[in-house]
Structures are given as C-alpha cells and as structure tokens.
C-alpha cells in the first residue's frame, strides 16, 4: 500500500524509514530503543565519522557541518524522518536542521525533566560531552526544568571514546571509568546524587559498566525511549503504517570505514554500508 506524506516531497514506500544521525556509535543506543518499540520501521544510519568526535569541536564549525552532512544523507537514503541521535548535535543545530529539511526532525533532549521529577535527594548529575555541558541550550533546559534541584554538570569526553572501544570489542575497566565516576561522586554535593542523566547517546552503551563500577547504586537515565515514542507519534502524523518487519538498513558514513570497524559495530542491524566520502 502507498501512503502520501504531508511533510515529504518524495512519497513513502511500503517500508517507512528513519535516518539516525550521529558522529559514531551513539546512534546504536537510540536505534535499539526505536527497534524495541517499532520493529517494522526501517532504520538507516548516517555516521559523520569524518568529523568525530563532535563534543570537542567549536560551535561555528560544527553547526554547518551537521546540517550539510545530515541533509545529504537524508537525500541519499530517502528516509521519512530524521532522528538526530546525538545530544551534541541536537543541542546545537535543531532549528537549522528543521529549516533545511522538509521531513520531520526528532532531536534528543537531555532527560532533565524526568530526572527532576524522580530525584529523591534533590540532586542529580548531568553527564555529557564538553559541548553539551557548556551549551546555552543545556543551561536553559536546566533553568526551566530542573525544578530547583541541584544539578552537577559533568563533562565526560572520555566516555565517548570508551563506548566506541567497547563496540569494537574492547573491555572497559574500572580504571577507565574511575575519573568520570570521581567527577560525579566526589565533588561538592556528589554524595547526594541519586540519578545521573546520560546526556550523550554514546553513554547508554556503557550503562552496565557504569552501574558495576559506581561506588553505590544510582539510576542512569537516558532519553532513548522518549525518542522512540516521538518517532512513533510522527509516524501517526505522517499516516505511515509499518509492516511486520523492516526493510534493508543502510549505513552511510561521511568518511571511508577503512578498517571496517563501523560496519562491525552496527552489525546487529545488518546494514548495507556505503561511504559518502568524495
Ligand atoms: N553521541 C554524541 C552525543 O550524543 C556525540 C559524541 C561525540 O562525537 O563527541 O553527544
């Protein structure tokens, strides 16, 4: 059956699809949540490995880069929805992406609101890339939704690299995580933290290790399930019905995946890989 989409100028196929965009394997944490809720949705991946990591780049160079790469990957795969599976990109470029694309754009918002509602100690940590932690968007989100709770901002750029390493099959140890855990628990107010917001899509991939090596149990909260629900809402808006099983996934990379590590990391989605390096 064919459906017409009010927001897309290309019409949809019998396999509605979403492109999940990120600098690296963070797209996987979002894809797993979407697949759980919407098993029939075809998932494509747009990985800007040519500009990884995003978290340490300057806003002026990152914003146009994100818009250009996400737009050309959307054009290449013809997805119905763009999911920005990256907090660093979402907190920086959502308005520009929405202006550039005719398809709906779903962004990741750090889970400040749910953390503020759930904390019992009135203290939670927000762990993210340096870019996201320092962003006006994040500050405003905290001002608006932290509800007077104490928020400890924790930049953790090394977790991005550790998540990439884990997906390449490397083991993440207690010693690897110690500096980040120290920044969460051994800072002023750290003894009261009962929730850590994982405000980078790479971080849920390390949830087991963070849980195992933390000095005491806390809740590690991410936005993946909320993103999946938002995608589901958009499918309804676009009147796109899902088949029982998804179509062929595509894995688009901005630079060559010369050692095949990206393809290996995304293997669970069995994508057809294609480099868009010119
Ligand atoms: N996955 C990313 C995020 O959610 C970006 C990681 C990076 O490239 O620094 O922020």
């Amino acid at each position: 059956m064919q459906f017409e989409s009010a927001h897309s100028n290309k019409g949809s196929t019998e396999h509605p699809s979403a492109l999940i965009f990120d600098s690296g394997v963070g797209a996987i944490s979002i894809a797993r949540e979407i697949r759980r809720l919407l098993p029939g949705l075809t998932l494509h991946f747009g990985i800007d490995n040519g500009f990884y990591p995003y978290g340490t780049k300057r806003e002026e160079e990152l914003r146009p880069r994100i818009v250009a790469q996400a737009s050309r990957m959307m054009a290449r795969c013809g997805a119905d929805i763009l999911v920005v599976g990256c907090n660093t990109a979402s907190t920086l470029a959502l308005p520009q992406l929405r202006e550039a694309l005719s398809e709906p754009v779903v962004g990741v918002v750090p889970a400040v609101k749910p953390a503020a509602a759930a904390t019992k100690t009135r203290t939670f940590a927000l762990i993210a890339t340096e870019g996201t932690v320092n962003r006006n968007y994040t500050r405003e989100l905290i001002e608006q939704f932290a509800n007077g709770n104490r928020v400890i901002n924790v930049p953790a750029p090394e977790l991005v690299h550790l998540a990439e390493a884990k997906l390449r099959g490397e083991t993440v140890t207690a010693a690897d995580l110690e500096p980040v855990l120290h920044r969460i628990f051994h800072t002023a107010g750290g003894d009261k933290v009962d929730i850590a917001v994982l405000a980078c899509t790479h971080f849920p991939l390390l949830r087991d290790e963070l849980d195992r090596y933390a000095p005491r149990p806390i809740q590690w909260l991410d936005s993946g399930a909320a993103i999946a629900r938002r995608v589901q809402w958009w499918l309804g808006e676009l009147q796109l019905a899902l088949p029982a099983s998804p179509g062929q996934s595509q894995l688009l990379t901005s630079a060559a995946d010369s050692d095949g590590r990206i393809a290996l990391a995304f293997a669970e989605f069995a994508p057809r890989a294609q480099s868009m390096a010119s």
Side-chain angles (χ1 to χ4, degrees):
M1 204 198 260
Q2 290 282 330
F3 293 95
E4 286 295 314
S5 156
H7 296 262
S8 165
N9 53 14
K10 59 192 174 303
S12 311
T13 65
E14 73 242 39
H15 285 299
S17 62
L19 173 75
I20 307 175
F21 180 81
D22 185 33
S23 61
V25 300
I28 294 174
S29 73
I30 298 296
R32 286 179 183 163
E33 293 291 348
I34 297 177
R35 177 82 8 126
R36 204 193 324 267
L37 184 69
L38 303 163
L41 181 64
T42 302
L43 298 180
H44 301 310
F45 301 95
I47 306 305
D48 190 7
N49 56 325
F51 217 56
Y52 165 90
Y54 274 1
T56 49
K57 301 273 190 323
R58 287 184 312 117
E59 296 192 355
E60 307 75 56
E61 55 177 350
L62 200 47
R63 190 181 282 115
R65 169 84 191 189
I66 290 165
V67 175
Q69 292 296 326
S71 303
R72 89 191 176 111
M73 288 169 171
M74 281 296 283
R76 176 67 69 93
C77 71
D80 300 289
I81 299 172
L82 171 66
V83 177
V84 185
C86 173
N87 289 86
T88 310
S90 290
T91 53
L92 187 62
L94 278 183
Q96 291 77 12
L97 282 165
R98 291 194 169 120
E99 210 173 290
L101 292 166
S102 55
E103 297 82 3
V105 177
V106 176
V108 202
V109 180
V112 168
K113 215 173 166 178
T119 178
K120 303 261 184 317
T121 57
R122 307 220 44 161
T123 308
F124 62 90
L126 185 142
I127 318 171
T129 62
E130 283 154 309
T132 298
V133 164
N134 295 319
R135 204 85 79 213
N136 280 340
Y137 179 102
T138 311
R139 279 199 206 112
E140 281 164 21
L141 196 72
I142 291 171
E143 259 162 46
Q144 247 187 303
F145 296 114
N147 217 4
N149 293 299
R150 182 173 192 167
V151 183
I152 299 175
N153 282 308
V154 180
E158 63 269 65
L159 288 189
V160 175
H161 304 296
L162 290 171
E164 296 276 335
K166 177 179 175 182
L167 275 268
R168 288 196 299 266
E170 290 170 34
T171 302
V172 176
T173 65
D176 291 330
L177 294 180
E178 207 280 323
V180 172
L181 293 171
H182 189 87
R183 264 174 256 148
I184 299 171
F185 293 100
H186 301 288
T187 187
D191 57 326
K192 298 228 163 42
V193 167
D194 63 348
I195 296 174
V197 173
L198 301 176
C200 168
T201 56
H202 278 65
F203 299 176
L205 301 168
L206 296 170
R207 190 193 304 269
D208 289 350
E209 289 82 354
L210 287 165
D211 220 22
R212 189 174 321 137
Y213 299 126
R216 56 188 170 79
I218 62 163
Q219 193 185 346
W220 305 91
L221 201 63
D222 70 83
S223 316
I227 294 289
R229 287 194 298 273
R230 188 71 184 158
V231 172
Q232 184 178 42
W233 181 86
W234 266 115
L235 289 171
E237 281 293 294
L238 298 173
Q239 297 182 296
L240 292 171
L242 294 180
S245 45
Q248 173 66 56
S249 282
Q250 292 182 47
L251 172 62
L252 307 174
T253 53
S254 64
D257 176 27
S258 26
D259 51 10
R261 285 179 170 182
I262 297 178
L264 186 69
F266 285 82
E268 68 194 83
F269 301 97
R272 191 185 299 135
Q274 207 182 338
S275 162
M276 292 182 69
S278 43

